[in-house]
């Protein structure tokens, strides 16, 4: 009951501070003289507040949708490639997800192979079952990966 009381007080204070209709709220002293009228007026003001917040949210969403449509028309008008998925946040291949620093580590292998005109994958990028089931500790010793209920430790 204490937790419920504290949550109610926080909710009411937050409502009083954030509503633009604070001037329409009945004074607290009216609760003791006319409790039903007080609760009815408070409920009406709360409904006005929720309608106001809903209208603001709908307008904000409409502006965002309009902005997305404008950007889409701009990309089409200027011949830019369309973004794929959710703004480029979709799954990428392992080659696309590697940064330039990681790709440059494979350059010595590729330089040697570039004279023949073919690019061969480096030995470091080749993954074997042995590499997945063990790791090298700080001393360089290979140790098996421990699993506990299927979770890596």
């Amino acid at each position: 009951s204490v937790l419920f009381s504290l949550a109610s007080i926080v909710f009411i204070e937050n409502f009083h501070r954030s509503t633009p209709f604070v001037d329409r709220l009945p004074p607290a002293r009216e609760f003791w003289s006319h409790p039903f009228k007080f609760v009815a007026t408070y409920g009406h003001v709360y409904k006005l507040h929720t309608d106001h917040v809903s209208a603001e949210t709908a307008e904000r969403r409409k502006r965002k949708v309009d902005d997305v449509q404008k950007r889409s028309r701009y990309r089409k008008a200027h011949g830019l490639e369309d973004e794929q998925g959710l703004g480029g946040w979709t799954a990428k291949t392992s080659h696309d997800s590697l940064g330039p620093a990681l790709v440059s580590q494979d350059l010595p292998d590729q330089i040697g192979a570039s004279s023949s005109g073919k690019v061969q994958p480096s030995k470091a990028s080749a993954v074997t079952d042995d590499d997945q089931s063990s790791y090298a500790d700080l001393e360089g010793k290979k140790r098996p990966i421990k699993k506990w209920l299927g979770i890596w430790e």
Side-chain angles (χ1 to χ4, degrees):
S1 97
V2 173
L3 184 61
F4 180 76
S5 300
L6 290 174
S8 299
I9 291 170
V10 169
F11 174 76
I12 291 170
E13 285 299 316
N14 187 26
F15 173 68
H16 278 263
R17 294 178 195 272
S18 65
T19 185
F21 306 108
V22 73
D23 58 328
R24 295 185 181 186
L25 287 172
R29 67 179 179 272
E30 271 190 33
F31 178 74
W32 301 111
S33 59
H34 304 287
F36 294 113
K37 184 179 176 185
F38 178 84
V39 171
T41 306
Y42 216 89
H44 179 69
V45 171
Y46 184 73
K47 185 176 182 318
L48 286 174
H49 173 73
T50 56
D51 291 343
H52 175 73
V53 169
S54 297
E56 282 182 342
T57 304
E59 181 62 30
R60 198 175 314 122
R61 288 179 181 161
K62 185 178 181 290
R63 276 186 270 139
K64 288 182 180 181
V65 168
D66 290 343
D67 185 45
V68 168
Q69 289 174 347
K70 286 178 187 177
R71 282 188 268 134
S72 175
R73 280 184 266 154
Y74 178 83
R75 284 193 306 269
K76 287 179 184 175
H78 290 85
L80 300 174
E81 65 182 55
D82 290 335
E83 293 180 9
Q84 296 178 357
L86 304 170
W89 287 86
T90 56
K92 298 177 182 176
T93 63
S94 60
H95 180 69
D96 293 339
S97 64
L98 291 177
L102 295 176
V103 173
S104 66
Q105 291 176 353
D106 294 339
L107 283 179
D109 294 336
Q110 292 177 359
I111 292 171
S114 66
S115 61
S116 64
K118 297 180 182 177
V119 176
Q120 298 174 353
S122 69
K123 295 174 186 174
S125 65
V127 178
T128 63
D129 292 334
D130 186 41
D131 292 341
Q132 291 179 353
S133 63
S134 64
Y135 70 97
D137 64 359
L138 295 175
E139 298 170 358
K141 298 176 184 174
K142 283 201 164 202
R143 297 185 181 235
I145 295 177
K146 298 177 185 176
K147 286 187 182 180
W148 180 73
L149 296 176
I151 301 172
W152 302 106
E153 286 187 347

